[in-house]
Amino acid sequence: MTVDQSTQDKARRLRALGSESVLVLPNAWDAGSAAVMAAAGAQAIATTSGGVAWSLGKGDGEQADRDEMLAAAARIAAVVDVPVTVDIEGGYGAAPDEVAKTVTAVVAAGAVGINLEDSKAPGGPLFTPEEQAERIAAARAAATGAGLPELVVNARTDVYLFGIGEESGRLQDVLTRAAAYERAGADGIFVPGLLDLAVLGELTARSPLPVNAMAGPGGPGVAELAKAGVRRVSVGTAVAQAAYTAARRATLELLGSGTYEELADSLDFFQMNGLFSA
């Protein structure tokens, strides 16, 4: 497969953004949301598997299949000029060769990064560190084979998100996984469910990989996470949830009082339409 210079440049840019400062990634679920985020100044964009699935009328957790997720990623990558990293959930297949197939499709879609989680199913159990390392190595080899060795592989571990094992042992579990994943070719470790700044500080000090946190309302701000050593911050499905909540509120007002206050201060038609070329 031949990867064009623009895609290679985006991959290098995504790598640079992860080392220059804290990389803040809004999570898009379709081409329109991605275009809005890029116009608002996002330097890179991540997808959210949950948001993409909802937009297709399906639930999260690989209910939308590989082809559906990657078609959405291709539309997103085509409409923005910034690097796009794709949430590929568990890789759409447990076997390393299935992960490799997914990564090859990611590169073909024009994206330059992935999140690959170590959950076998929502809520667990998890792949062992050795099993997940094989899957990460397959992802790295597939990216190289597809002509994009610079693909950014963010290895997600759900130890904290799903409360795997005794609480006292979770930090060491994540550190063990980070070491195995780094050796397999991962570029970062994503630990959703962990927002305790003291624990994050210990993790970032000891992890061989840069740490990505998933933030949200009520949790530490980006500056606090950065002070704890976090190098990358994303928000999962939160922006999609906010957008759907806005739709619900506007509908309730329209059907209830028959007024339109919830529609005030929206991006106007010409602002939205202007984000897309004819």
Side-chain angles (χ1 to χ4, degrees), residues 22 49 72 86 92 94 112 118 124 136 148-149 184 186 204-205 213 250 253 257 273:
V22 177
S49 64
V86 180
Y92 305 103
V112 296
D118 56 14
I136 290 168
L148 193 67
T204 59
E253 182 189 9
S257 64
N273 214 45

Side-chain angles (χ1 to χ4, degrees), residues 62-85:
E62 299 194 15
Q63 293 186 46
D65 63 26
R66 177 194 286 125
D67 289 344
E68 291 172 316
M69 281 291 180
L70 271 297
R75 290 190 292 270
I76 288 169
V79 82
V80 298
D81 292 328
V82 299
V84 173
T85 180

Side-chain angles (χ1 to χ4, degrees), residues 197-233:
L197 293 173
V199 179
L200 275 170
E202 186 172 357
L203 174 60
T204 59
R206 297 173 60 190
S207 172
L209 291 170
V211 174
N212 178 182
M214 185 166 71
V222 171
E224 293 173 285
L225 292 168
K227 188 175 181 180
V230 171
R231 302 299 300 164
R232 175 166 156 165
V233 178

